[in-house]
Amino acid sequence: MYATNYHRASSVEDAVKLASANDEAKYLSGGQTLLPTMKQRLAAPSDLVDLRHVSGLKGISVSGGSIRIGAATTHAEVASSTEIASACPGLAHLAAHIGDPHVRHMGTIGGSIANNDPAADYPAGLMALNATIVTNKRSIGADDFFTGMFDTALEDGELIVAVEIKAPSKSGYAKFPNPASRYAMTGVFVAKHGDGSVRVAVTGAGSGGVFRQSDIEQALASNFSAGALDGITVDDSDLMSDIHASSAYRANLVKVMAKRAVAAAG
Amino acid sequence: MANVSMTVNGRSVSGQCEDRTLLVQFIRENLGLTGTHVGCDTSQCGACVVHVDGKAVKSCTMLAAQADGSEVVTIEGLSSGGELHPVQAAFREHHGLQCGFCTPGMIMSAVDMIKRHDGQLDEKTVRQELEGNICRCTGYHNIVKAVLDAASKMGEGAKVAAE
């Protein structure tokens, strides 16, 4: 790891101020991706602004079907929240299967979506749930937030404060983890919303990162059951192909994981 | 340079280190507590697991500066009064180690796992929970047996203490 300067932020304003003081500064949330990347010298921020002690970025609140999760809330906290488990069981399941127990104690929802790794779990969940990403400047819909592989709508220095979700009537997530790395080779989140619409988002498979699968959405909107997807053929032209799986294999995984996610959603 | 103060195994410690110093380096090199191991150094193997403020974390994936002000427990802090911690005793009893390199991390993870599940563990859960700890000798079988035995003994101990 190259040398860096550590700063501990005490509030959202303090964090933004500390980060804006240097062009090469980065926010450090759970650090479970950023620190390994820095150790490999693939990232070399001059300054790190630690967000773990900012109380305004923490906590889960659920009221009247509105869910708000602070950006620095850990995966373990989301996974073990009884409120999330009852308001959106698919999201609790997703959080419980990120990385391993130690990673889940540190990694945060804000860090995960700011990084937008093409094989990360949360981007699929938030896109299918039509989440709103609240920053220190504005609110961004999930469809506009995730702009491509490792790319988001965040501007330099913009800080994610919280994620807001309207509790769906049904939600489910299923992933096929790479047998070695355990990252999603394909993960599918399905959500049936209060107005009857269905959103389906796929991670790990798209060559441009997380995306919505409209054929599956349409089939599930008219019949929310795994069997409704029997006749679907997923187009593989924009899917990743690598040593782990060809695009055709991933296309089939999208369908199979979608069916499992629907079954899990009940 | 960072001035770092924390409580490690019940003892207040402080030291100076670079801002980029990892918690595991601080523990091993500044404090001389070499029970915590560096296995892969890429956040995968879990040999470096310690408890920070009561939660199991990978100390190779946390800066010492991040742990400033925290309570840290390492493998050296588990036994008390010359008695092995029940999880340590169970690893010895069930031969839950061969070369021993992964053992400190396995034991710290097991203590955390038993606490989070309130001692209510079955084999499948233990195997899933050990996802972040890699052992290249044992095939995990005796590790799983040791964790299950420790969980049930600690459950009995808690019951006796309550009565």
Side-chain angles (χ1 to χ4, degrees):
Chain A
M1 189 188 297
Y2 290 110
T4 188
N5 298 303
Y6 172 87
H7 309 272
R8 185 174 288 189
S10 56
S11 66
V12 171
E13 297 72 33
D14 187 34
V16 173
K17 201 173 131 200
L18 285 165
S20 66
N22 196 299
D23 282 352
E24 300 296 319
K26 266 200 183 296
Y27 293 118
L28 175 66
S29 192
Q32 301 302 285
T33 299
L34 180 55
L35 291 175
T37 310
M38 288 174 67
K39 285 163 75 174
Q40 292 182 317
R41 296 189 167 180
L42 296 172
S46 62
D47 295 75
L48 289 174
V49 179
D50 187 356
L51 305 173
R52 285 176 73 241
H53 301 269
V54 179
S55 57
L57 294 176
K58 290 186 182 219
I60 295 166
S61 64
V62 179
S63 76
S66 296
I67 303 167
R68 184 181 165 97
I69 304 173
T73 306
T74 64
H75 310 325
E77 286 162 348
V78 173
S80 62
S81 160
T82 50
E83 286 179 297
I84 298 284
S86 93
C88 189
L91 194 66
H93 176 85
L94 177 151
H97 291 81
I98 300 171
D100 59 51
H102 325 308
V103 168
R104 293 196 286 274
H105 280 148
M106 289 293 288
T108 67
I109 187 168
S112 170
I113 61 172
N115 189 47
N116 195 17
D117 187 301
D121 300 289
Y122 265 130
L126 298 197
M127 195 176 257
L129 290 165
N130 201 16
T132 301
I133 290 90
V134 182
T135 77
N136 61 318
K137 292 181 178 169
R138 57 190 169 141
S139 293
I140 311 168
D143 284 338
D144 298 323
F145 180 84
F146 300 107
T147 49
M149 201 177 269
F150 294 111
D151 201 25
T152 68
L154 290 171
E155 294 164 5
D156 281 348
E158 190 171 7
L159 178 64
I160 303 171
V161 175
V163 168
E164 292 178 344
I165 298 162
K166 210 161 159 31
S169 49
K170 287 182 178 184
S171 63
Y173 181 63
K175 72 170 159 180
F176 186 90
N178 179 299
S181 76
R182 313 303 285 168
Y183 267 94
M185 239 149 72
T186 291
V188 178
F189 199 104
V190 301
K192 185 174 185 184
H193 294 273
D195 61 2
S197 66
V198 173
R199 289 171 65 104
V200 176
V202 181
T203 191
S207 51
V210 64
F211 69 95
R212 285 173 64 189
Q213 221 296 343
S214 54
D215 294 345
I216 296 178
E217 287 183 350
Q218 279 161 24
L220 293 176
S222 50
N223 176 11
F224 194 82
S225 73
L229 305 181
D230 284 340
I232 297 271
T233 305
V234 175
D235 177 17
D236 72 350
S237 53
D238 284 328
L239 300 188
M240 279 193 280
S241 200
D242 54 29
I243 58 165
H244 306 296
S246 66
S247 54
Y249 186 81
R250 279 192 167 89
N252 189 55
L253 276 182
V254 171
K255 177 173 160 180
V256 174
M257 291 304 120
K259 288 172 96 167
R260 289 187 190 172
V262 171
Chain B
M1 296 293 274
N3 287 308
V4 177
S5 300
M6 59 185 88
T7 306
V8 178
N9 302 332
R11 194 165 60 94
S12 293
V13 299
S14 55
Q16 246 198 357
C17 60
E18 285 188 280
D19 288 18
R20 64 178 163 177
T21 302
L22 300 169
L23 178 58
V24 69
Q25 285 174 290
F26 185 80
I27 290 170
R28 288 177 57 86
E29 293 164 25
N30 289 53
L31 305 179
L33 295 170
T34 54
T36 302
H37 290 169
V38 179
C40 66
D41 203 19
T42 56
S43 326
Q44 297 175 74
C45 80
C48 66
V49 169
V50 301
H51 297 177
V52 175
D53 297 324
K55 294 191 167 76
V57 303
K58 290 176 172 168
S59 61
C60 82
T61 313
M62 184 174 193
L63 300 174
Q66 282 179 284
D68 182 39
S70 290
E71 291 221 7
V72 177
V73 178
T74 70
I75 188 72
E76 290 92 342
L78 285 187
S79 64
S80 65
E83 288 279 322
L84 290 180
H85 184 279
V87 177
Q88 291 175 308
F91 269 68
R92 182 173 67 177
E93 176 71 20
H94 292 277
H95 195 51
L97 61 146
Q98 285 179 28
C99 86
F101 194 86
C102 72
T103 312
M106 285 285 178
I107 289 179
M108 297 312 286
S109 301
V111 171
D112 174 71
M113 178 198 314
I114 292 167
K115 189 179 94 184
R116 276 187 291 110
H117 290 270
D118 216 8
Q120 303 300 307
L121 288 168
D122 54 31
E123 183 186 336
K124 191 179 168 208
T125 309
V126 173
R127 288 186 183 274
Q128 276 175 347
E129 287 274 345
L130 286 176
E131 174 149 16
N133 294 80
I134 294 174
C135 171
R136 299 289 78 163
C137 308
T138 64
Y140 302 96
H141 197 62
N142 286 352
I143 292 173
V144 174
K145 274 204 274 186
V147 176
L148 287 169
D149 187 36
S152 88
K153 286 196 172 129
M154 288 167 75
E156 283 167 24
K159 257 189 238 157
V160 172
E163 282 164 6

